[in-house]
Structure formats: C-alpha cells, structure tokens
Amino acid sequence: MGGGRRTVTDPQTVTIVAHATPAGRAALALVRLSGPDSAAIAARIFARARGAPLVDGRPMLGTLLDRGGAPIDQAVLTLHRAPHTVTGEDVAEITLHGSPVIVRETLAACVLAGARPAAPGEFTLRALRAGKIDLAQAEAVRDLVEAATVEQARIAARQLGGEVSAAIAPLAEGIFELLADVEAGLDFSDGEEALALAGAEVAGRAERLAAQIDALAGASEPARRVREGARVVLLGPTNSGKSSIFNKLIGYGRVIVTPEPGTTRDLIEEQLVLEGLPIVLVDAAGVGEPGGQAEAEGMRRALAAAESAHLVLEVYDLSRPERPVGPPGAHRLRVGTHADLPPAGPPAQGTVAVSPLTGEGMTALRAVIAEQLHAPGARPLESVALATERHLAAALEARDALVAAAGQARAGEGAELLAIDLRRAVHALREILGEVGPEALLERIFARFCIGK
Amino acid sequence: MGGGRRTVTDPQTVTIVAHATPAGRAALALVRLSGPDSAAIAARIFARARGAPLVDGRPMLGTLLDRGGAPIDQAVLTLHRAPHTVTGEDVAEITLHGSPVIVRETLAACVLAGARPAAPGEFTLRALRAGKIDLAQAEAVRDLVEAATVEQARIAARQLGGEVSAAIAPLAEGIFELLADVEAGLDFSDGEEALALAGAEVAGRAERLAAQIDALAGASEPARRVREGARVVLLGPTNSGKSSIFNKLIGYGRVIVTPEPGTTRDLIEEQLVLEGLPIVLVDAAGVGEPGGQAEAEGMRRALAAAESAHLVLEVYDLSRPERPVGPPGAHRLRVGTHADLPPAGPPAQGTVAVSPLTGEGMTALRAVIAEQLHAPGARPLESVALATERHLAAALEARDALVAAAGQARAGEGAELLAIDLRRAVHALREILGEVGPEALLERIFARFCIGK
C-alpha cells in the first residue's frame, strides 16, 4: 500500500479527467471530471452563454475553450456537487461534439487547468471508496460494459442494482451473530474456552448457514453459466468427423479439416452463443490407438478437457461399426456423424444424427446442446449473487469454514478455535462486497477497467 | 420535395431515436430521443429511482428497462421540454453504461415504445427547421465532428458560434435595401422602368457591396485553406527523385520508388499536416520526352495538376546538369535533390537543397512549404465566414450579380433588369444561411451527416 497506486492515496485531493465515451467520430462525446477542483477547472475551459454564472445540477449551454482560450466547440456542462454524485466528489460532465480532435484538446485544456488524467477504473474506484457502491457493484459496472450478450448485461445490471449485497449481507450478519455468541462464551469464561452455547446448537446454526450458501450457489449456477460461458468438448475416435461438426457449429472454417486421421492434436477453442448462452466449444484430438508421442499427448489433453467440460459431445461415425461405449449421462450427448451415408447399424440410444456436409440434424443438435446446458432463453434467473467465479470462490470458502466450525463444535472444541473459523467465514463473505480485503485485491480488479470508468 | 424524405414531412409528429456517441466499449454512452413522444417513450424504458416522477431539465438516476421490462442498466435520464432544446422539440437524453449490447437493446426498446431510428443528420436538420441554427451552423456541426486538425475544429467552432451569419446577414441586408430602392422606382413609375435613384448611385452602392464580398473572401482565404487543405504538386523531370521527396514528406513508403525512369504515371495523393495546415501532396509523372502514350498522358496530368496547385515543388537533380526553367514564382518552389552527391554546378536561385536519402534539408523544406502556404501556426484567422467552398461559391455568385447590376446601371438600364440581378445576389447570400434554397440542397448537405447527429 501507500504510494504504489496514486489513486489510493489522493482520492480527495486530486481532480481527475477522462473521456467517458468510446473513441471515434459521432454526434456527441462525454468528458468527465471528478474531484474538488471539478467546478473550477470546468469554469476555466467553459464559458457559459451570455456570461451567466455556472449553476449546479442543471445542464448549461456554453462555449468550450481550448488551451489558448479560443472557442473550440459549443457544449453542455453539468456540475454535480458532492456528496450526492456518482463518485461522492464534485463532478463536472461536459457533453461536446463527438470529434476526436476536440476531445483531445479538451482533455489537454483540463490537464493544463489542473486535472490529472484518470487511471483505469478510477471513477468507479472513487465511487467505491466513497461508499456509493460496493465492490460487487463496481465489478458489475465492468461486466456491463464488457457484456457480450444481452443476458450477460442483464445479470450485471441486477448485480449493479445491489442483488449481491442483498443476498450476502444477511448471511454475513448471521455468521457474525453466531460469532458474537461464541465469543460471548470467550468473554465471560475469561479465556477458559467454555462455550456459552451448547456445541450442538453452534454446529446446527453453522450448518444451516453453510446450507444457505450452498443453496445460493446452486440458485446462481444458471446465471454463472451465462456469465462465464459453458465448455463443450467434442470427443470421439480419430477421423470420426469432430472437426467438421465443430466448424459447422461455429459457422465458419476455423479448424483445418483433412481426411487424414489425427489432424487435430491441440485443443482448439472457439466461442459461440446458443440461445443467449456463451459457449466455448473445444475440438480435441481423436481418441483411439495413438500413432506416436504427440498423438498420445493429444489424447491425454482431450480426455482431461472432457473431464472438466459442462457437456461432452461423444462423436461417432454412423457409417462405421464403432459405437460409443458407456451409458449416456447428464453431461454426455451422443452425436452420430455421416448421417448422409448408409448406416453401419442402428444408432446408439439417444444419438443425435447429423451430417455437417448436408447440414442435416445441425439445427436439432444446437437445440439439444442449449437444452442440456440450460441456456437461459426467456426464463428468469433465480439469483445472480454468486454468478462470478470470485464471488463463488469466496462464498465456498465461507461455507467450508462454517462446515469446519460445525465439525469442531460437535467434537466439543472450545470457543477459541470455533471463533477462528467463523471469523474466516465472515471475512470471506465481506470480501465479496469489498468491505475487507487487501489493496492487492482492488488493484487486481480495477486493473481490468478501461480509462474513463 | 414532398414525401421523398420522411424527415421533411414529419418533423413535428414523429419521435426519433439514435445512439449519439461512437460505437464501442467505454464507461458511458449517450442515446437521444427528439420529438413529441420523447418523455412518454423515456418513461416506458426508464424507471426512476424510488419511483419518483420524471421532472424536466434535471439529470435523474434510474433503471433502464429492456423490451421485456427487465432492468438492463442503471442510467441517467435528462428531459428537456420544447421549445428551448437543441432541436426545438421535446428531447430525452439517456446516459447509460458504454456497452454495445445495452445500447442496442435500449434503441430496440425505444423503437418498440414508438420511436423511429433517426436518419443521418436528422437531429441537426430538426434544429435547422426549428430555427435553432442556420444552415452554416448545421454544416459547422458536421465539420466539427469531421475535423482532422485542431485548427479545422476551431474554424468550425467559430462558424457554429454564428460568425457566418454575422458577416453575411448585413451584406444581404445591404443588397436588399438597394433592391428595395430600385424597386421603389419600379413602383412609382408604374412599370415605366424609370430609376428613382441615379444609375451612378446604384452602380456605386452595388460595387461597394461587391467589394465587401471580395474583401470577405480574401479575409477568409487562410481559414478556407485550413479547412479545405492545400494542394502541393511535385513537378520535375523523370527520375529526378520526386517520389523519394514525396515519401520522405509523408513519412512512410507509400509510393513505389525504383531507379528506372517513368515509374510514376498516375497522380498519387497523400494527406499530411504541416503546422496545422492539411496538405494534399501530389506526386505526378516526370516531365520530359515521353516514352509512349501512357507517359504522355501522365505528363499531361502532371502539368494540369501543377496548374491548379496551391504550391508547385519544382524538383531537379543537383548532381545532373539540368536546371529548372523559368523564374521562381509565388506559387513555385525550387527543390534540388541528391544534395548528398557532388553537384553538377551551382544551384538555381532560391533552391532548397535536400537529400531524401540522408534526410538533409528535409526539415527546412517542410518549413518553407508551410511558410509559402501561410500555414496558420498560432496566428488568428481574420474571418471564417467564407471558409467553405459552398459559402465561397454562393458569395462569389452574389458578387458577380452585383457587378452585373452595376454595369447595367452605368449603361442606363432600367429598374426591371437591375432588380433581377440584385434579387439573384440576395438569394445567393441567403442560400449560405439556408434561408432560401431547394430541398435538394438540404438533402445533399445532410446526406453527409452520420446517424445520431
């Protein structure tokens, strides 16, 4: 801490400026200032029409001045006074014409008048530090902007609306109350490690809280999948036609397809969206008798990828006698290729028959994949509280700590040990909202923001 | 007219919507509505925080709703009521997070709620029709956004500030008064074509007005050059090194340079900026004995390009005995190449000696070019009233009409004929401000706007 990141040490004293809208030519652009000198800097670069004074909270028409004081645009300035602003600081918003040269000149004029160019995410970081939003909401701002699908944007919008805090804060409070009760035992036994509550009661409360976290994680699973995407792996014998299905699914020829077996050795990944669900489609090496060390490594990777996939497409050739082994499972889907050729026998149970060559069955395959992955379609998502990997990991750490505390309570351990686990659980949940946590966490999160946010 | 362009027939009844900021990801984006239903449409897609009612003129925080009514972003809405708005109509401005999917969804929601996607330049056209700006200001909006240099932006900002109207309106008024006086003669002589004023007085007044237009055109020449750019043509014998100078000036290898003579046959154009002045640099075929029909055509084009250039660089090879013919002129600059080789003799008078190979003399050449072209540097521009070709052409038409009127007055022609020329002069000046003129003119001008303006 301390000095490594300027934004951490000077939020209240330095005024920052940034272009808030994308680079390029358009009707309008937005430049924002935040900090104590926002109004003074704005007054230096903006002359109100007919010399009227600047007033707060209302858009004002006027002339934007360049570094030399010459008019460079007609613009609208809106001043917002602390503390009821997006950053909690004085904020000036300038709406100007969407010209790259005018934006550049305006930023330069602001810097000459005393502003500092904002670091990535610095506006949002200031909002966080001012208590305007919590960390989950700050992350939602980033997710909103980066959303690739409208479903992802909807999840981020709900997180920005405070749903994460609404779900997490009561859980943290519940654990904190249990911790207080346990520590009360500590207090009045004066370090003697006697429990004020019966061990079974502590264990029961901790287990109920752990179960609530599990339930929340489960309710957030569809949203998490929409946000993080699902991994779908194509698995099958060499030359069964996996790459052709892959290409047909992604809609263009990303992978080299040849009639020679063993062409695909590395994992090839492409992204696509099926009914609102982003999918990472993985084409892996064929599985069978390896022709050499490289092929053996390819097969090892293919099997490992299938192991961690949300869905495995077990591809086999309908025109050849081999059939997939093992029963169809919840995360397995049998796909028979070469449906345009004479079949070598009846298809295996539950097979989706396709021909990438003629297109036969491909629409059905997309639909079955979407169904198997619970693509959101129009269904509302139950919870978005643990939709991000960071939130889920923190919640599961809290859950594990609660389970550990329950185990210790049932084993008759004293308050001291229980309190350590319960504190760990509270801490983990509060990290989600950014109430605790090292600067390093913030730095890691805000480094992914773009300038102007 | 009439129906060919929807914007012409429905400005007061249809509400339009457009994304006003550039496409792309950033902190923020702006979507604008204009028209009678702006507030109603905004109310359909925007839920104010804590259900508070929408109020005018103040930015309001709330939730943006998608087509299904689900929250998709937290946004700021500002309603502006007619007539004191940018278009003269009700306007709603929505500042949302800069996410392409959210912008797209918001536009779709607005259209579903009754808005029509705006045509290019339609916001500005509505401002023009409402009398909020004149045509020269509307053009300045376009020029501001398209400005390639800060100097061009400054000119557009001055035009947007009303300088064109301030210069043109009094001239139009002066001509109109003269016309009224001339027509008074028509009135009271009851068609007898007698002049109420002496012919010499009419001629004198018309000539003074014509001189004022000429003076304005001259005062606008530097601004016009900054706006339109200057054409600089490289002219010289084949293989004198023109293309090497061209490449060095533009700073990268745009043109194929070979030691064989006659490589450059077509005109090659590139843009560069010297001290704030945009320049179109033209590399032309070598002039000399043509080797064939194609080369002869190339030379013809080279000479024609030199004829219309603002500056001709007469390139010759210092290491060979040829020297440029003719005296150096105001629009001619002698450039001697191969300054790194032993000279064949003393350079011609006024030669700038350069070697594109070693870079010798290139900085001096740039400075001399800028000086010859009166690059603006830090000097203020006297007038921007006739900085565009359209404005200049209209003004010169008015000037010609005034000169014609003066000639006829001195020749003793009657009021009827004089009035025709004076009306033509008034009309031409009013076209600059868009006070008169066919729809076709507007369509041509606004077709160059981008959506959202």
Side-chain angles (χ1 to χ4, degrees), chain A residues 329-424:
Chain A
H331 302 294
R332 298 257 163 174
L333 178 64
R334 290 168 170 174
V335 182
T337 57
H338 295 150
D340 52 311
L341 300 181
Q349 197 196 346
T351 290
V352 180
V354 301
S355 166
L357 188 68
T358 66
E360 178 188 339
M362 293 305 298
T363 303
L365 179 60
R366 284 173 185 264
V368 175
I369 292 172
E371 191 190 313
Q372 291 260 338
L373 291 172
H374 309 293
R379 278 172 293 132
L381 299 166
E382 193 183 341
S383 174
V384 300
L386 301 178
T388 75
E389 293 295 346
R390 186 181 82 80
H391 300 173
L392 180 67
L396 294 183
E397 189 187 333
R399 195 266 322 260
D400 291 347
L402 286 166
V403 169
Q408 297 199 334
R410 290 203 193 281
E413 291 288 352
E416 194 102 341
L417 275 176
L418 293 187
I420 290 172
D421 280 327
L422 293 175
R423 271 189 222 109
R424 182 158 68 92

Side-chain angles (χ1 to χ4, degrees), chain A residues 12 22 121 133 153 160 169 189-190 212 234 279 303 332 341 345 357 426 433 437-438 451:
Chain A
Q12 294 310 315
I133 53 174
L160 183 57
S189 70
D190 212 356
Q212 286 175 34
L234 288 152
I279 287 172
L303 293 169
R332 298 257 163 174
L341 300 181
L357 188 68
V426 170
L433 305 179
I451 302 281

Side-chain angles (χ1 to χ4, degrees), chain A residues 28 31 48 60 70 83 142 198 224 248 289 302 309 370 414:
Chain A
L28 300 173
V31 167
R48 182 132 192 229
M60 297 170 284
R142 182 200 62 205
R224 193 161 61 248
K248 198 76 184 178
E289 279 304 306

Side-chain angles (χ1 to χ4, degrees), chain B residues 288-350:
Chain B
E289 280 301 307
Q293 209 171 351
E295 265 185 52
E297 172 61 18
M299 284 182 206
R300 199 195 57 73
R301 289 188 198 173
L303 293 169
E307 192 68 30
S308 67
H310 294 96
L311 181 66
V312 175
L313 304 186
E314 290 189 339
V315 179
Y316 69 100
D317 189 340
L318 291 166
S319 71
R320 295 197 308 211
E322 308 97 11
R323 287 292 176 268
V325 290
H331 302 294
R332 298 256 162 174
L333 179 64
R334 290 168 171 174
V335 182
T337 57
H338 295 148
D340 52 313
L341 299 181
Q349 196 196 345

Side-chain angles (χ1 to χ4, degrees), chain A residues 125-450:
Chain A
L125 183 61
R126 290 188 174 198
L128 176 72
R129 294 196 178 282
K132 294 288 166 180
I133 53 174
D134 61 38
L135 183 55
Q137 289 172 306
E139 290 170 303
V141 169
R142 182 200 62 205
D143 288 354
L144 262 179
V145 171
E146 290 182 357
T149 70
V150 71
E151 289 79 8
Q152 290 179 328
R154 280 195 197 105
I155 291 169
R158 286 173 59 174
Q159 291 173 332
L160 183 57
E163 280 197 32
V164 180
S165 172
I168 297 298
L171 285 170
E173 184 60 26
I175 305 170
F176 191 75
E177 276 172 20
L178 180 57
L179 173 63
D181 289 346
V182 166
E183 286 186 331
L186 273 182
D187 283 346
F188 88 43
S189 70
D190 212 356
E192 240 183 59
E193 301 216 6
L195 270 177
L197 302 174
E201 193 195 330
V202 173
R205 282 170 65 179
E207 280 159 0
R208 278 194 296 279
L209 288 161
Q212 286 175 34
I213 294 176
D214 273 332
L216 191 62
S220 302
E221 161 66 21
R224 193 161 61 248
R225 190 164 290 181
V226 168
R227 189 186 176 282
E228 309 283 352
R231 283 181 75 82
V232 176
V233 173
L234 288 152
L235 196 72
T238 51
N239 212 24
S240 56
K242 298 183 301 300
S243 296
S244 297
I245 294 175
F246 181 87
N247 287 351
K248 198 76 184 178
L249 282 174
I250 61 175
Y252 68 102
R254 166 72 175 75
V255 179
I256 301 153
V257 183
T258 76
E260 275 179 73
T263 306
T264 307
R265 281 180 192 165
D266 294 321
L267 299 180
I268 312 282
E269 300 189 351
E270 273 293 338
Q271 299 194 337
L272 68 158
V273 176
L274 278 189
E275 294 185 17
L277 181 70
I279 287 172
V280 177
L281 190 64
V282 183
D283 189 18
V287 181
E289 279 304 306
Q293 211 172 349
E295 266 187 51
E297 172 61 18
M299 285 182 204
R300 199 194 58 71
R301 289 188 198 171
L303 293 169
E307 193 68 30
S308 67
H310 293 97
L311 181 65
V312 175
L313 303 185
E314 289 190 338
V315 179
Y316 70 98
D317 189 339
L318 291 167
S319 71
R320 295 196 308 211
E322 309 98 10
R323 288 293 175 268
V325 290
H331 302 294
R332 298 257 163 174
L333 178 64
R334 290 168 170 174
V335 182
T337 57
H338 295 150
D340 52 311
L341 300 181
Q349 197 196 346
T351 290
V352 180
V354 301
S355 166
L357 188 68
T358 66
E360 178 188 339
M362 293 305 298
T363 303
L365 179 60
R366 284 173 185 264
V368 175
I369 292 172
E371 191 190 313
Q372 291 260 338
L373 291 172
H374 309 293
R379 278 172 293 132
L381 299 166
E382 193 183 341
S383 174
V384 300
L386 301 178
T388 75
E389 293 295 346
R390 186 181 82 80
H391 300 173
L392 180 67
L396 294 183
E397 189 187 333
R399 195 266 322 260
D400 291 347
L402 286 166
V403 169
Q408 297 199 334
R410 290 203 193 281
E413 291 288 352
E416 194 102 341
L417 275 176
L418 293 187
I420 290 172
D421 280 327
L422 293 175
R423 271 189 222 109
R424 182 158 68 92
V426 170
H427 192 277
L429 291 189
R430 288 186 172 167
E431 262 192 4
I432 294 176
L433 305 179
E435 294 169 359
V436 296
E439 279 303 317
L441 174 70
L442 290 186
E443 289 198 14
R444 201 167 61 239
I445 289 169
F446 281 88
R448 284 187 51 204
F449 278 68
C450 65

Side-chain angles (χ1 to χ4, degrees), chain A residues 26-29 31 45-47 61-66 69-76 94-103 105-106, chain B residues 137 140-145 150 152-161:
Chain A
L28 300 173
V31 167
I45 65 157
F46 182 87
L61 188 66
T63 302
L64 207 52
L65 308 173
D66 67 15
I72 196 161
D73 198 1
Q74 305 231 329
V76 171
I94 303 164
T95 307
L96 55 159
H97 285 102
S99 153
V101 291
I102 301 175
V103 167
E105 189 62 30
T106 301
Chain B
Q137 290 172 306
V141 170
R142 182 201 60 203
D143 288 354
L144 262 179
V145 170
V150 72
Q152 289 179 329
R154 280 195 198 105
I155 290 169
R158 285 174 59 176
Q159 291 173 332
L160 182 57

